[in-house]
């Protein structure tokens, strides 16, 4: 068999009369919105009201309910790591997930911060700074959504993990001797919150500019 014949046999099929036809190229299937990764994301949202109820049970000072609230917060936070891993490993990344995942994070973090501030355990200015950043980033995402989706960055993920660690330290019924640990963790979370917020502004502006250039054909 000649090289040309071998190439044809490898890359093409034949019809009943021996005429070569192009090989069939598999068509990629569309990822369904209702998948395991997105269900984990939605479960995180569903746990937010349960967490709030446990946090305020017993005036927020009952050790048992405080432990339940901390456990719910930890489980909900863990789903944030799991849903991303599942989406990447099994090819379940969707535009819905890119938008819903950070919204679920913000709902959980925001609920915890507001709850702690309402109980007088965290200064309101901390909650306001973080809330303004998170709401602002969400607005930016929808502002440029016609041009594309801004996925969570590594800095954003580090910010979220630091916020989770700081909030967990505040939720746990720990002695006052470890108060400095809470301050350090929350201080680092605030710095990352502001820095990554500015990064999202830059990315949103660049994405919108690129989208406008593409639309104008330049």
């Amino acid at each position: 068999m000649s090289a040309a014949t071998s190439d044809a046999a490898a890359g093409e099929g034949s019809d009943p009369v021996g005429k070569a036809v192009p090989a069939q190229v598999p068509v990629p299937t569309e990822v369904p919105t209702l998948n395991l990764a997105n269900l984990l994301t939605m479960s995180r949202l569903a746990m937010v009201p349960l967490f709030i109820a446990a946090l305020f049970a017993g005036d927020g000072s009952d050790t048992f309910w405080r432990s339940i609230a901390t456990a719910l917060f930890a489980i909900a936070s863990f789903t944030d790591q799991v849903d991303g891993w599942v989406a990447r490993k099994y090819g379940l990344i969707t535009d819905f997930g890119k938008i819903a995942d950070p919204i679920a994070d913000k709902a959980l973090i925001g609920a915890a911060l507001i709850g702690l501030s309402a109980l007088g355990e965290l200064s309101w200015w901390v909650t306001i700074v973080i809330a303004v950043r998170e709401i602002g980033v969400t607005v930016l995402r929808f502002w440029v959504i016609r041009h594309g989706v801004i996925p969570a960055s590594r800095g954003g993920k580090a910010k979220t993990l630091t916020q989770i660690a700081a909030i967990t330290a505040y939720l746990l019924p720990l002695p006052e001797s470890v108060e400095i640990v809470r301050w350090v963790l929350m201080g680092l979370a605030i710095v990352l919150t502001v820095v990554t917020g500015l990064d999202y502004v830059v990315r949103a502006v660049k994405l919108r500019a690129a989208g406008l250039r593409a639309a104008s054909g330049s």
Side-chain angles (χ1 to χ4, degrees):
M1 180 181 292
S2 67
T5 305
S6 299
D7 290 343
E12 298 179 338
S14 300
D15 63 10
V17 296
K19 183 178 180 181
V21 296
Q24 295 294 321
V25 178
V27 178
T29 57
E30 183 178 353
V31 179
T33 300
L34 187 62
N35 58 56
L36 179 58
N38 289 341
L39 287 175
L40 286 169
T41 299
M42 299 309 294
S43 72
R44 184 158 67 256
L45 276 172
M47 278 189 274
V48 172
L50 299 178
F51 159 72
I52 287 296
L55 179 61
F56 282 94
D59 295 328
S61 58
D62 185 275
T63 302
F64 172 77
W65 283 109
R66 196 59 177 257
S67 299
I68 293 296
T70 305
L72 286 171
F73 181 81
I75 293 171
S77 300
F78 180 67
T79 64
D80 179 38
Q81 307 306 311
V82 176
D83 62 7
W85 177 82
V86 169
R88 291 187 297 271
K89 182 175 178 61
Y90 297 102
L92 300 177
I93 298 175
T94 62
D95 284 345
F96 173 82
K98 291 178 182 179
I99 296 174
D101 180 67
I103 289 177
D105 293 342
K106 290 168 177 51
L108 178 64
I109 297 296
L113 292 172
I114 292 173
L116 288 169
S117 293
L119 291 172
E121 300 180 23
L122 182 66
S123 298
W124 275 106
W125 73 264
V126 174
T127 296
I128 292 171
V129 168
I130 295 177
V132 168
R133 184 271 188 195
E134 302 299 353
I135 294 173
V137 168
T138 300
V139 171
L140 282 174
R141 286 178 182 275
F142 284 102
W143 180 54
V144 300
I145 195 170
R146 59 177 295 188
H147 305 294
V149 176
I150 305 177
S153 64
R154 290 184 179 180
K157 287 295 184 181
K159 176 269 305 177
T160 300
L161 289 174
T162 307
Q163 287 179 350
I164 289 171
I167 291 171
T168 301
Y170 273 88
L171 288 173
L172 287 170
L174 300 174
E176 293 184 2
S177 58
V178 298
E179 189 70 18
I180 185 64
V181 176
R182 292 170 171 167
W183 292 349
V184 170
L185 286 173
M186 189 59 74
L188 180 58
I190 292 171
V191 171
L192 289 174
T193 295
V194 174
V195 171
T196 55
L198 295 175
D199 175 63
Y200 271 107
V201 172
V202 173
R203 293 168 65 191
V205 171
K206 288 183 177 179
L207 178 60
R208 186 172 186 273
L212 292 176
R213 285 197 301 269
S216 64
S218 58

